[in-house]
């Protein structure tokens, strides 16, 4: 028998058999279909928290999942908490410089406009507003009346030399904690005006906590104030690096609590760190931009960009030691000079001693040492560090190579024992596919290194990075036989893919751009507004699956919630409004006329684009289902009032499949205004005109049992409460009903198998019709 539209019940959560693809599809069928897919978030929670009286012995993994769920008490564990990162931002900058000096770095445009271009090019958030003054007196007036996040001063203004001590002390009187960055246009200016910089342009100040605390006064004002010199070298990115360096220093302490990593740079040469910081930030920004290739929600994408590693610049031994001790747990890399000041005096081996101390405390941290002396390469190698020559013509490329090969920024590459690359992955989705097919020798090699951990840490996923770093292969996988695997390696492969799958689904959530989805995205959302009752249920079930790692909880079995495309209620509103359907359908008393009006109307373009992408990717039978606001209402649910449709999805062309999908969506929309729906609404004291409808397009569980006939092997419903318990079971045990095929007999009241979940060995009834979906020849 062919199947088509039918009713779904909000109290029924369906347990269906899994299925494999059949090939190209699409034809709209219209027979009766029983509920067979997840429907209610209320039931989902009650199923997982069923009473302790249950006598059935579940596999240990499922028992563990149930215990974890009970311990969580509520569904709050499944809610996605997004910590507030980068709380302190440089949003307003006071720039003190002359008109002529301003032109030096503005070239033929205003600095504010150039900064907007710089931020837009690197996909950064809104750049700070820069307000320029030309005299120190005017700067003090502005600090008196307005709040600024940062003061940037050229060391000369309108032809007059800046008196640094008095200027800094005056600024501190107005704002004790404001960071002050000094920007020199040439080395001679820097040497003449800042006594803390020596003839080699080395900057020797033991800042440590004084920057965050606001600094000192009087004769200590230069030593303890946040006063940071930079040297202009013709690169506008220096401004971006200065702003980000200040933000990182202020946000690091809070952000590392939420998993952010740190990169410590130890360099005392003003000219060199003014050149080096823009290079480092450029690599970090590129890594953030690489997340554009990953499918995730906008919230997760923003969180990843804010979670980028924080760069902490230090200029002497004491400061570097203090910063490392404060942030060693989050430190992913150190870039250190070989020589810098220690105890106020320049020490040619301070960097070597600092790195030796670091390696003793944290052997796994990646370190690159740099020096203008090639002889130091062997000393760095002996400490297990990479080495960069400061005056190398390929310094930028060598630094980029350190970020990509050592810190694993960018794609992850896999090599065999002979050093030949065998695979590469750019994002989590491609990594899952690649890892599933890696040769055994490569799996063993990767398991004994920190490759996966480092790659996820570079992508701002510290929890998964720690998860992988904490495993020991093969010791942690010796019980593979009891878990149902053929070897330690296969158990490891299963564990890694399962972990990545949970992360992948958590990141994607409900992707709002169909163009950014792929064939593994759990939910693609089109439009704004609500997802409706079933749509919310899908979100909850996907979240439960990932939170409690249920998908591969049982060996050799996959527990799956169907992927789906959801047209949110906003699409329905725009469809009705743009086609001016409300008035004519409310005057019509014929369901056939209502369907005709909706059939000729045009869906919004974003919905049609999403349907086309879906049709291009999915070639298996699908269901188009209603998901309204009223449908799962607690007191007066509209269960079974609206239509759902089964599609063969077997037409030979994409155009035909898209047309069939669109037709089914419009018929679901039309059912909102059906005569039955209006009468039910009136009886419930509701108004159909206020109803909002979302539409769900999802793949159907099942397989082709014989040529041309598609169905799951069996389907049914489970209830958390059994209203008719047996003598040896309880109400809280719950109950289940099951039938063959699509299981329509379960909800149609015909014969099916029924049992208590407390005693599944005692069954009542027998299965009736084997309901199937007939495929076209």
């Amino acid at each position: 028998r062919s199947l088509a539209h039918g009713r779904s019940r909000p109290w029924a959560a369906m347990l269906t058999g899994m299925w494999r693809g059949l090939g190209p599809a699409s034809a709209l069928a219209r027979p009766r279909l029983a509920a067979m897919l997840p429907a209610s978030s209320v039931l989902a929670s009650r199923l997982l928290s069923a009473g302790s009286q249950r006598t059935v012995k579940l596999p240990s993994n499922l028992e563990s999942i149930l215990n974890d769920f009970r311990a969580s008490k509520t569904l709050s564990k499944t809610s996605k908490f997004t910590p507030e990162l980068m709380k302190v931002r440089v949003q307003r900058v006071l720039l003190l410089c002359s008109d002529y000096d301003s032109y030096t770095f503005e070239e033929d445009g205003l600095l504010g406009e150039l900064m907007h271009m710089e931020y837009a090019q690197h996909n950064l958030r809104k750049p700070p507003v820069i307000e320029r003054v030309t005299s120190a007196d005017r700067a003090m007036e502005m600090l008196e009346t307005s709040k600024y996040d940062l003061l940037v001063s050229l060391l000369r203004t309108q032809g007059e030399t800046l008196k640094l001590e008095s200027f800094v002390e005056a600024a501190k009187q107005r704002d004790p904690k404001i960071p002050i960055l000094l920007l020199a246009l040439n080395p001679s200016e820097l040497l003449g005006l800042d006594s803390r910089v020596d003839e080699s342009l080395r900057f020797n100040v033991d800042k440590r906590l004084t920057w965050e605390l606001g600094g000192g006064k009087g004769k200590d004002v230069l030593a303890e104030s946040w006063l940071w010199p930079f040297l202009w070298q013709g690169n506008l990115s220096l401004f971006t690096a200065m702003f980000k360096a200040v933000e990182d220093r202020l946000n690091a302490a809070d952000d590392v609590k939420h998993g952010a990593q740190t990169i410590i740079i130890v360099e005392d040469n003003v000219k060199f760190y003014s050149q080096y910081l823009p290079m480092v930030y450029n690599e970090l920004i590129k890594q953030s931009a690489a997340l554009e290739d990953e499918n995730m929600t906008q919230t997760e994408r923003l969180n990843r960009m804010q979670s980028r590693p924080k760069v902490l610049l230090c200029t002497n031994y004491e400061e570097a030691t203090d910063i490392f001790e404060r942030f060693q747990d989050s430190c992913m890399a150190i870039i250190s000079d070989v020589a810098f000041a220690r105890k106020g005096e320049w020490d040619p081996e301070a960097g070597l001693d600092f790195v030796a101390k670091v390696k003793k405390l944290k052997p796994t941290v990646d370190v690159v040492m740099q020096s203008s002396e090639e002889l130091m390469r062997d000393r760095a190698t002996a400490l297990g560090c990479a080495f960069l020559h400061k005056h190398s013509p390929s310094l930028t490329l060598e630094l980029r190579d350190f970020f990509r090969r050592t810190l694993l920024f960018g794609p992850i590459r896999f090599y065999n024992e002979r050093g030949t690359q065998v695979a590469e992955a750019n994002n989590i989705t491609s990594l899952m596919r690649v890892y599933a097919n890696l040769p055994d020798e490569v799996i063993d090699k990767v398991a004994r290194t920190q490759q996966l951990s480092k790659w996820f840490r570079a992508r701002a996923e510290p929890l998964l990075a720690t998860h992988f770093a904490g495993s020991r292969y093969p010791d942690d996988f010796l019980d593979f036989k009891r878990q149902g695997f053929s070897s330690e390696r296969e158990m490891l492969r299963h564990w890694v893919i399962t972990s990545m799958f949970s992360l992948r689904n958590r990141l994607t959530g409900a992707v709002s751009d169909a163009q950014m989805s792929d064939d593994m995205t759990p939910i693609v959302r089109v439009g704004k507004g609500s997802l409706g009752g079933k749509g919310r249920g899908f979100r909850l079930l996907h979240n439960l699956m990932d939170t409690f790692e249920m998908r591969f909880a049982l060996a050799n079995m996959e527990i799956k919630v169907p992927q789906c495309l959801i047209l949110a209620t906003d699409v329905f509103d725009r469809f009705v409004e743009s086609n001016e359907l409300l008035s004519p359908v409310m005057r019509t008393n014929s369901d056939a006329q209502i369907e005709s009006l909706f059939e000729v109307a045009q869906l919004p373009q974003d919905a049609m684009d999403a349907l086309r992408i879906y049709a291009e990717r999915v070639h298996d039978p699908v269901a188009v289902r209603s998901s309204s606001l009223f449908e799962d209402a607690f007191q007066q649910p509209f269960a079974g009032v609206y239509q759902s449709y089964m599609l063969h999805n077997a037409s030979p062309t994409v155009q035909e499949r898209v047309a069939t999908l669109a037709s089914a969506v419009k018929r679901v929309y039309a059912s909102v205004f059906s005569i039955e729906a209006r009468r039910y609404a009136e009886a419930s004291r509701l108004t159909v005109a206020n109803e909002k409808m979302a539409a769900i397009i999802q793949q159907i569980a099942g397989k082709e049992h014989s040529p041309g006939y598609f169905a799951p092997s069996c389907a049914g419903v489970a209830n958390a409460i059994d209203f008719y318990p047996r003598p040896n079971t309880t109400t809280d045990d719950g109950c289940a009903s099951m039938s063959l095929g699509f299981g329509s007999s379960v909800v149609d009241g015909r014969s099916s198998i029924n049992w208590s979940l407390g005693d599944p060995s005692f069954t009542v009834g027998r299965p009736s019709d084997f309901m199937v979906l007939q495929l076209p020849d």
Side-chain angles (χ1 to χ4, degrees):
R1 295 175 57 184
S2 286
L3 297 183
H5 71 278
R7 321 300 190 201
S8 60
R9 314 257 176 118
W11 49 265
M14 307 309 299
L15 310 175
T16 61
M18 301 317 298
W19 61 291
R20 297 185 181 275
L22 295 173
S26 196
L28 184 61
R30 295 207 53 175
R32 188 170 180 75
L33 171 66
M36 59 166 211
L37 297 164
S40 170
S41 59
V42 176
L43 174 71
S45 62
R46 296 186 70 182
L47 270 174
L48 284 173
S49 58
S52 59
Q53 302 273 339
R54 179 174 42 78
T55 58
V56 177
K57 178 65 176 177
L58 291 176
S60 58
N61 283 8
L62 293 185
E63 281 287 359
S64 177
I65 289 171
L66 283 172
N67 290 335
D68 288 345
F69 185 85
R70 294 191 189 100
S72 70
K73 301 297 184 183
T74 68
L75 295 179
S76 60
K77 182 178 179 181
T78 70
S79 301
K80 296 179 181 178
F81 167 69
T82 303
E84 184 182 356
L85 301 173
M86 298 290 289
K87 293 180 180 178
V88 182
R89 293 187 177 277
V90 175
Q91 297 178 317
R92 196 176 182 193
V93 177
L94 181 61
L95 173 63
L96 171 59
C97 71
S98 67
D99 294 330
Y100 179 80
D101 290 334
S102 174
Y103 185 79
T104 299
F105 44 75
E106 287 183 352
E107 297 179 357
D108 58 352
L110 296 175
L111 182 60
E113 295 178 1
L114 294 174
M115 289 306 301
H116 272 279
M117 294 173 59
E118 170 82 3
Y119 272 55
Q121 179 182 356
H122 291 107
N123 199 26
L124 299 173
R125 295 185 68 181
K126 182 181 178 181
V129 175
I130 300 176
E131 300 179 31
R132 187 170 66 86
V133 294
T134 59
S135 69
D137 291 340
R138 180 57 180 159
M140 295 305 111
E141 292 175 7
M142 298 291 285
L143 289 174
E144 286 274 9
T145 58
S146 303
K147 176 66 178 176
Y148 292 91
D149 302 306
L150 182 64
L151 172 59
V152 180
S153 173
L154 265 73
L155 295 181
R156 59 183 185 182
T157 60
Q158 296 296 75
E160 298 183 3
T161 301
L162 186 71
K163 296 178 177 61
L164 188 58
E165 288 85 354
S166 59
F167 171 75
V168 172
E169 188 164 9
K172 289 295 180 179
Q173 289 175 355
R174 289 157 177 81
D175 189 343
K177 293 187 178 182
I178 188 170
I180 303 174
L181 307 188
L182 303 177
L183 184 59
L185 296 181
N186 56 66
S188 61
E189 287 183 1
L190 190 60
L191 290 173
L193 296 173
D194 193 341
S195 60
R196 304 167 305 161
V197 180
D198 66 17
E199 292 184 356
S200 299
L201 300 183
R202 292 191 293 254
F203 178 55
N204 179 18
V205 175
D206 183 9
K207 298 177 291 298
R208 289 194 278 179
L209 295 176
T210 58
W211 282 8
E212 292 89 335
L213 297 178
K217 298 180 180 179
K219 65 179 182 179
D220 296 327
V221 69
L222 293 188
E224 297 188 7
S225 296
W226 190 334
L227 189 62
W228 204 351
F230 287 89
L231 186 62
W232 174 254
Q233 297 173 73
N235 184 3
L236 187 65
S237 294
L238 176 61
F239 279 91
T240 302
M242 291 192 303
F243 299 158
K244 294 300 176 187
V246 170
E247 290 178 346
D248 285 356
R249 191 63 176 255
L250 290 172
N251 288 300
D254 284 336
D255 287 4
V256 296
K257 297 175 183 177
H258 301 296
Q261 302 294 293
T262 56
I263 295 176
I264 299 175
I265 298 178
V266 191
E267 175 58 56
D268 63 347
N269 188 285
V270 178
K271 179 180 179 180
F272 192 75
Y273 70 61
S274 297
Q275 172 191 356
Y276 212 68
L277 274 177
M279 295 163 55
V280 171
Y281 275 108
N282 186 50
E283 292 303 316
L284 296 180
I285 292 169
K286 283 183 178 178
Q287 175 70 356
S288 295
L291 295 178
E292 294 294 327
D293 294 333
E294 192 73 70
N295 294 313
M296 63 179 69
T297 64
Q298 285 301 110
T299 300
E300 291 286 358
R301 193 178 305 281
L302 179 60
N303 187 45
R304 290 300 170 282
M305 296 189 70
Q306 294 176 348
S307 298
R308 63 160 178 77
K310 304 297 178 281
V311 178
L312 303 176
L313 175 63
C314 307
T315 56
N316 57 56
Y317 183 89
E318 288 76 21
E319 183 185 13
T321 301
D322 173 66
I323 291 295
F324 176 73
E325 289 176 349
R326 290 163 61 191
F327 296 101
Q328 63 176 303
D329 291 340
S330 63
C331 183
M332 67 184 299
I334 293 176
I335 303 172
S336 176
D337 197 356
V338 168
F340 42 78
R342 174 161 47 179
K343 296 182 179 179
E345 300 292 333
W346 186 76
D347 186 336
E349 295 194 356
L352 296 170
D353 292 343
F354 170 68
V355 170
K357 181 177 182 179
V358 166
K359 284 291 188 178
K360 184 177 180 180
L361 294 173
K362 190 175 182 180
T364 58
V365 68
D366 291 307
V367 179
V368 58
M369 303 201 71
Q370 54 193 10
S371 173
S372 56
E373 299 181 20
E374 181 63 30
L375 294 176
M376 290 296 174
R377 184 181 296 273
D378 292 339
R379 301 285 299 276
T381 302
L383 289 171
C385 305
F387 180 82
L388 297 178
H389 195 285
K390 284 188 173 183
H391 302 304
S392 170
S394 59
L395 179 62
T396 301
L397 295 178
E398 292 175 37
L399 177 64
R400 182 179 303 165
D401 190 66
F402 171 73
F403 273 91
R404 297 187 179 183
R405 288 184 177 271
T406 304
L407 301 185
L408 298 186
F409 281 39
I412 183 171
R413 298 179 174 91
F414 298 99
Y415 300 85
N416 59 24
E417 295 294 342
R418 297 177 296 280
T420 303
Q421 181 175 323
V422 296
E424 177 180 313
N426 293 298
N427 52 43
I428 298 173
T429 302
S430 60
L431 177 57
M432 290 167 58
R433 294 193 175 105
V434 163
Y435 191 86
N437 297 291
L438 283 179
D440 291 346
E441 62 171 296
V442 179
I443 289 286
D444 292 345
K445 180 181 177 182
V446 172
R448 292 185 173 92
T449 67
Q450 295 291 314
Q451 187 175 7
L452 286 177
S453 175
K454 289 172 69 172
W455 191 75
F456 279 103
R457 183 168 285 111
R459 298 179 73 82
E461 281 297 338
L463 294 180
L464 196 58
T466 303
H467 182 65
F468 287 142
S471 69
R472 296 294 178 266
Y473 178 79
D475 296 352
D476 293 344
F477 304 91
L478 297 178
D479 63 339
F480 64 91
K481 290 184 178 179
R482 188 174 64 85
Q483 298 293 338
F485 297 98
S486 59
S487 65
E488 296 99 327
R489 184 183 300 112
E490 288 310 305
M491 184 177 174
L492 167 69
R493 197 189 300 260
H494 176 273
W495 175 72
V496 170
I497 293 175
T498 301
S499 301
M500 289 192 291
F501 194 92
S502 295
L503 169 66
R504 169 62 163 67
N505 281 4
R506 178 173 61 81
L507 289 180
T508 54
V511 174
S512 57
D513 186 352
Q515 296 284 351
M516 298 190 63
S517 66
D518 56 41
D519 58 357
M520 297 183 71
T521 304
I523 298 176
V524 177
R525 172 180 184 154
V526 179
K528 302 176 181 179
S530 173
L531 300 180
K534 296 188 188 73
R536 291 192 299 269
F538 268 113
R539 285 291 300 273
L540 174 66
L541 289 172
H542 276 293
N543 216 338
L544 287 170
M545 291 279 289
D546 299 330
T547 300
F548 297 100
E549 299 183 353
M550 295 169 62
R551 186 181 182 98
F552 298 105
L554 298 177
N556 304 318
M557 182 180 294
E558 182 179 8
I559 303 172
K560 184 177 179 181
V561 178
Q563 297 167 275
C564 61
L565 167 67
I566 302 180
L567 306 181
T569 55
D570 164 70
V571 177
F572 171 78
D573 290 340
R574 286 185 283 133
F575 171 75
V576 172
E577 182 177 349
S578 63
N579 292 284
E580 299 180 347
L581 291 170
L582 187 57
S583 294
V585 298
M586 294 304 290
R587 294 194 301 266
T588 301
N589 292 317
S590 167
D591 288 346
Q593 291 180 7
I594 294 173
E595 280 197 7
S596 297
L597 288 170
F598 274 67
E599 188 66 37
V600 298
Q602 296 297 315
L603 287 173
Q605 189 59 48
D606 57 342
M608 291 300 297
D609 292 342
L611 291 177
R612 174 170 292 278
I613 293 172
Y614 189 87
E616 289 172 348
R617 291 176 178 163
V618 178
H619 303 280
D620 303 302
V622 299
V624 179
R625 310 178 65 200
S626 61
S627 180
S628 78
L629 297 184
F630 292 170
E631 209 163 17
D632 283 356
F634 184 71
Q635 295 293 342
Q636 296 173 313
F638 273 53
V641 174
Y642 303 127
Q643 303 294 344
S644 292
Y645 293 87
M646 303 285 290
L647 306 183
H648 303 305
N649 200 27
S651 295
T653 67
V654 172
Q655 289 78 6
E656 290 178 286
R657 296 201 295 276
V658 172
T660 306
L661 285 170
S663 177
V665 169
K666 287 186 280 189
R667 293 189 186 190
V668 169
Y669 286 168
S671 68
V672 172
F673 301 97
S674 68
I675 305 304
E676 180 184 0
R678 288 191 228 175
R679 289 172 179 168
Y680 192 89
E682 291 173 1
S684 303
R685 297 184 180 180
L686 297 171
T687 304
V688 166
N690 294 330
E691 172 68 298
K692 306 290 185 182
M693 176 64 73
I696 299 175
I697 300 95
Q698 65 169 90
Q699 294 174 318
I700 304 171
K703 66 180 182 179
E704 195 170 4
H705 288 268
S706 60
Y709 294 94
F710 177 90
S713 299
C714 56
V717 299
N719 295 304
I721 295 177
D722 184 359
F723 290 101
Y724 305 99
R726 282 69 167 167
N728 63 327
T729 64
T730 69
T731 298
D732 288 339
D733 282 338
C735 61
S737 300
M738 183 174 289
S739 188
L740 300 176
F742 282 112
S744 61
S745 61
V746 172
V747 290
D748 284 347
R750 291 179 285 115
S751 180
S752 59
I753 299 176
N754 304 275
W755 70 93
S756 168
L757 298 180
D759 183 13
S761 63
F762 182 78
T763 62
V764 176
R766 61 182 180 81
S768 56
D769 302 332
F770 188 95
M771 304 297 291
V772 300
L773 177 66
Q774 187 172 357
L775 302 174
D777 295 334

